[in-house]
Amino acid sequence: TNAEGLWIVDQHAAHERVLFDRHVRQRREKKVEGQRLLMPIVVELKPEQQAVYQEIADELSANGFEVEPFGQRTVAVKSAPAEIRADDVERLLLEILDSVGQEAKSLSLDDLRLKIAASVSCHAAVKINMRLEQSKMVWLLRALGEAQAPMTCPHGRPIVLRYGMKELQKAFKRI
């Protein structure tokens, strides 16, 4: 709160925006880091997911994934984007394949890159109910201030809500 009113920040959406901007920048500079997994994660794909995987395998690789065919309808994930926890890798890969879906052939490379960046950022961001230290909150707000679109997450949801003093006073029947 300040003299202007009450500001509410969705920490997940804010962190998602910061990570998204960073991922897009790193992808443009061809510097997305992958992290080698201790053990490959074997993922079973539905036929439509397998078709999408074959269409976007190179772009997955450029986004930090090392994925290889492993049998008829399975793949082995050996590396994933650096900020993704190992127990979230399978879910992230399947989400990317599902979100690209039937658009794989018609999707522009830019749109494909943005979809992947949005999914990676969402999975890497702090969770909504995660308790943050004061220093992390300050860092997040500063980083958000430097974001390309600091008011919305990559999926278009609002990051900040502002309630003016008049609005609050009315709500509490003070005016």
Side-chain angles (χ1 to χ4, degrees):
T1 61
N2 61 19
E4 294 179 33
L6 174 67
W7 293 74
I8 301 172
V9 178
D10 179 332
Q11 68 186 24
H12 172 76
H15 196 208
E16 192 176 355
R17 168 52 66 183
V18 169
L19 293 174
F20 175 81
D21 286 359
R22 186 181 74 189
H23 189 98
V24 168
R25 186 177 60 254
Q26 288 176 341
R27 177 63 191 93
R28 190 173 46 244
E29 297 167 359
K30 297 179 172 44
K31 293 181 180 172
V32 177
E33 288 184 37
Q35 177 175 288
R36 199 134 187 80
L37 301 169
L38 291 175
M39 296 280 296
I41 297 171
V42 177
V43 180
E44 189 170 337
L45 304 178
K46 296 177 196 160
E48 57 272 17
Q49 292 169 330
Q50 187 174 13
V52 173
Y53 163 71
Q54 289 169 344
E55 287 290 324
I56 69 168
D58 289 344
E59 191 54 36
L60 287 172
S61 178
N63 279 278
F65 285 96
E66 183 184 344
V67 183
E68 296 176 356
F70 187 78
Q72 201 162 32
R73 266 211 317 235
T74 56
V75 292
V77 183
K78 295 181 174 184
S79 295
E83 59 272 3
I84 302 300
R85 292 186 347 259
D87 62 355
D88 204 21
V89 168
E90 179 175 355
R91 202 161 48 121
L92 171 60
L93 177 63
L94 294 175
E95 179 183 297
I96 290 170
L97 295 175
D98 288 340
S99 75
V100 171
Q102 295 170 339
E103 300 174 295
K105 284 187 166 84
S106 62
L107 208 57
S108 76
L109 192 54
D110 280 347
D111 287 342
L112 174 60
R113 288 177 179 168
L114 294 178
K115 276 183 177 274
I116 291 173
S119 289
V120 170
S121 303
C122 184
H123 282 259
V126 297
K127 302 307 172 222
I128 198 75
N129 58 356
M130 188 181 285
R131 200 171 176 87
L132 297 183
E133 297 290 326
Q134 184 76 23
S135 59
K136 180 80 171 188
M137 289 180 211
V138 169
W139 170 84
L140 184 55
L141 292 174
R142 281 197 182 123
L144 183 62
E146 296 170 11
Q148 295 286 335
M151 299 308 281
T152 59
C153 80
H155 302 100
R157 290 187 302 272
I159 292 173
V160 178
L161 299 178
R162 180 184 167 270
Y163 296 95
M165 287 307 284
K166 266 192 172 169
E167 227 177 325
L168 291 171
Q169 288 172 338
K170 278 184 184 177
F172 285 106
K173 303 196 183 305
R174 301 240 180 241
I175 56 172

